[in-house]
Amino acid sequence: MLKGKRIILGISGGIAAYKSVYLLRLLIKAGCEVQVVITPNGKEFITPVTLSSLSGKPVISEFFTANTGEWHSHVDLGLWADAMVIAPATASTIAKMANGVADNMLITTYLSAKAPVFIAPAMDLDMMRHPSTVRNIELLKSYGNHIIDAATGELASHLSGKGRMREPEEIVGELEKFFASGDKLKDKKILITAGPTHEPIDPVRYIGNYSTGKMGYALAEEAARRGAQVTLISGPVSLTANNPAIEVIKVTTAREMLNAAQQSFPEADYAIMAAAVADYAPQNFSDCKIKREKNGIENIPLIKNPDIAMTLGLHKGEDQKVIGFALETDHEFQHAVDKMKRKGLDAIVLNSLRDPGAGFATDTNKITIIFADGHSLEFPLKSKAEVAADILDSVCDCE
Ligand code: C5P
């Protein structure tokens, strides 16, 4: 599974760095090409000679090689890798990663990395539970990084508690699991709607909402990573899709989103409706800016927008599944079930605006997935990237 994978192994300065030698050996044995990047403090714990002998590549630690002046491009490295693993990740490295403090080669590489990043924290128990570390780890999660949570047991300080770096075999296991999911959706076509819609009133005003599109874009990236061909119909957002397997169709209004969705739907195996479609649109568009003083804009006639999810849900083929979202503020579960039935959906992803960290404009979400047969799955607060993986695992039969 790991054969041929290009891995950046980032090592920072903690006693657990000795375990990174075993980790490196396991990765090489599994057929990976490994580039070690070590922090200046890391070198106090483990020598670059050991690491370069095992990896077969010079270890990178400085921005330049002192005698030749050769520049080590963190940008090229970040593009080269299939994954970056930072083990051990000390409290200081975690803090720098969380806050973009780019003062060594490991951090600049991390900031440039396009590949998924796995972080294995290791530190003493008090550092581990300090609110700053807890917050920094949460921040890293919210950026979509994978945290390989520290284990509890005896620590270098001879105290016992949480802070042990996970064993090299376990870290390799996490990587294997991740790469194994890479073709789970091979040959599947997935249509995803994302973002808000804007319904123009006049050249300077529109009806819209606070949706940022983050959940829909995270779903598109995760589906593409699993090998799906993705059509992402996106309302006006400031995000871009990274994976070339994602075809992005940009729209502005609900009508345009419906037209695009209807065009792509016949080909799709799954349609995931993550867009926050405006409920109403102005009946008429005014070519000129409506004057506040003259006509007033307090009485603009509105018309109801088409329901895209319902249009697809009620006309889907036997082999097609349509999944909707429900953002609720009260009687959440019942409202979501009613919505799922009314719109002919196979499942609905419920998030409550009462849950802190859920909903629009956050990097996290807390969801419950309700299925047409009545059963449901509840998940804790996670990054939107992790939530996307949970949704695809649950609704696309690909766990
Ligand atoms: O009815 P409500 O807006 O709460 O429904 C939410 C679900 O329906 C979401 O999946 C959303 O993308 C979809 N929807 C739609 N077209 C609309 C309104 C909602 O596709 N006009």
Side-chain angles (χ1 to χ4, degrees):
M1 194 48 69
L2 291 180
K3 200 166 168 5
K5 294 285 183 250
R6 298 192 283 208
I7 311 284
I8 299 169
L9 175 58
I11 301 177
S12 59
I15 197 74
Y18 81 90
K19 288 201 215 170
S20 307
V21 179
Y22 295 94
L23 175 57
L24 171 57
R25 251 190 92 222
L26 289 177
L27 291 171
I28 295 288
K29 264 184 145 176
C32 299
E33 203 183 326
V34 184
Q35 174 61 62
V36 176
V37 180
I38 192 165
T39 63
N41 279 341
K43 288 192 286 187
E44 304 289 331
F45 290 86
I46 185 85
T47 79
V49 179
T50 310
L51 299 163
S52 62
S53 306
L54 288 171
S55 66
K57 282 179 191 291
V59 168
I60 297 177
S61 181
E62 314 299 334
F63 293 110
F64 294 92
T65 303
N67 50 353
T68 62
E70 183 197 354
W71 182 53
H72 298 131
S73 169
H74 54 90
V75 178
D76 289 348
L77 251 185
L79 293 172
W80 166 85
D82 295 307
M84 180 170 188
V85 184
I86 296 146
T90 59
S92 149
T93 287
I94 285 172
K96 288 180 187 177
M97 288 165 71
N99 295 288
V101 181
D103 68 348
N104 66 45
M105 192 64 194
L106 192 156
I107 309 294
T108 50
T109 306
Y110 162 71
L111 293 175
S112 305
K114 287 265 181 274
V117 179
F118 296 78
I119 301 164
M123 64 196 79
D124 206 43
L125 75 166
D126 290 316
M127 296 173 85
M128 189 81 219
R129 65 182 169 212
H130 192 279
S132 66
T133 309
V134 172
R135 193 200 54 206
N136 287 331
I137 289 179
E138 282 311 311
L139 275 174
L140 290 174
K141 270 193 205 170
S142 74
Y143 305 156
N145 299 146
H146 303 258
I147 305 294
I148 304 177
D149 208 8
T152 300
E154 196 187 338
L155 302 167
S157 59
H158 302 299
L159 295 170
S160 189
K162 186 173 172 184
R164 283 175 65 85
M165 187 175 99
R166 293 276 286 284
E167 296 308 317
E169 293 78 6
E170 293 177 285
I171 296 175
V172 171
E174 290 290 327
L175 287 174
E176 278 172 342
K177 208 165 71 189
F178 177 79
F179 284 115
S181 62
D183 58 2
K184 277 180 177 175
L185 287 174
K186 200 164 171 286
D187 302 327
K188 297 288 181 205
K189 293 196 172 124
I190 304 196
L191 158 64
I192 297 171
T193 63
T197 64
H198 288 179
E199 313 296 335
I201 298 170
D202 65 18
V204 297
R205 303 184 182 93
Y206 62 83
I207 297 174
N209 59 64
Y210 291 120
S211 169
T212 56
K214 284 181 180 171
M215 193 63 246
Y217 275 68
L219 277 161
E221 294 289 350
E222 181 60 18
R225 193 189 71 71
R226 292 173 183 220
Q229 232 174 293
V230 181
T231 302
L232 176 63
I233 305 174
S234 171
V237 296
S238 54
L239 302 172
T240 49
N242 293 319
N243 195 309
I246 304 173
E247 183 201 0
V248 183
I249 301 175
K250 291 259 183 196
V251 297
T252 304
T253 66
R255 282 249 153 236
E256 289 167 7
M257 190 174 271
L258 174 69
N259 289 342
Q262 281 181 313
Q263 289 237 330
S264 308
F265 188 56
E267 299 284 308
D269 297 289
Y270 301 97
I272 307 182
M273 318 309 287
V277 184
D279 294 311
Y280 290 90
Q283 189 171 26
N284 306 304
F285 173 72
S286 164
D287 287 331
C288 301
K289 183 179 171 190
I290 301 172
K291 290 272 173 269
R292 191 175 51 229
E293 302 79 15
K294 272 199 194 151
N295 318 341
I297 51 172
E298 55 277 89
N299 288 318
I300 295 170
L302 299 176
I303 48 166
K304 215 167 173 20
N305 267 334
D307 192 312
I308 303 162
M310 184 144 76
T311 308
L312 304 190
L314 297 180
H315 295 98
K316 63 180 194 277
E318 269 196 7
D319 296 331
Q320 292 182 301
K321 280 190 179 172
V322 181
I323 294 101
F325 274 73
L327 180 61
E328 304 292 337
T329 54
D330 61 288
H331 301 91
E332 291 91 338
F333 201 91
Q334 196 48 51
H335 282 162
V337 170
D338 293 346
K339 206 164 276 184
M340 174 172 64
K341 288 188 178 154
R342 192 171 68 245
K343 300 192 184 204
L345 306 175
D346 296 277
I348 194 154
V349 180
L350 164 65
N351 38 104
S352 167
L353 272 186
R354 283 199 284 193
D355 285 323
F360 290 160
T362 66
D363 289 314
T364 51
N365 207 353
K366 184 174 180 315
I367 60 159
T368 301
I369 305 179
I370 308 167
F371 297 86
D373 68 3
H375 86 282
S376 62
L377 295 171
E378 207 179 324
F379 297 86
L381 186 71
K382 295 189 182 192
S383 71
K384 283 187 172 164
E386 291 172 302
V387 171
D390 287 338
I391 292 171
L392 294 176
D393 280 345
S394 314
V395 300
C396 296
D397 313 313
C398 63
E399 201 167 354

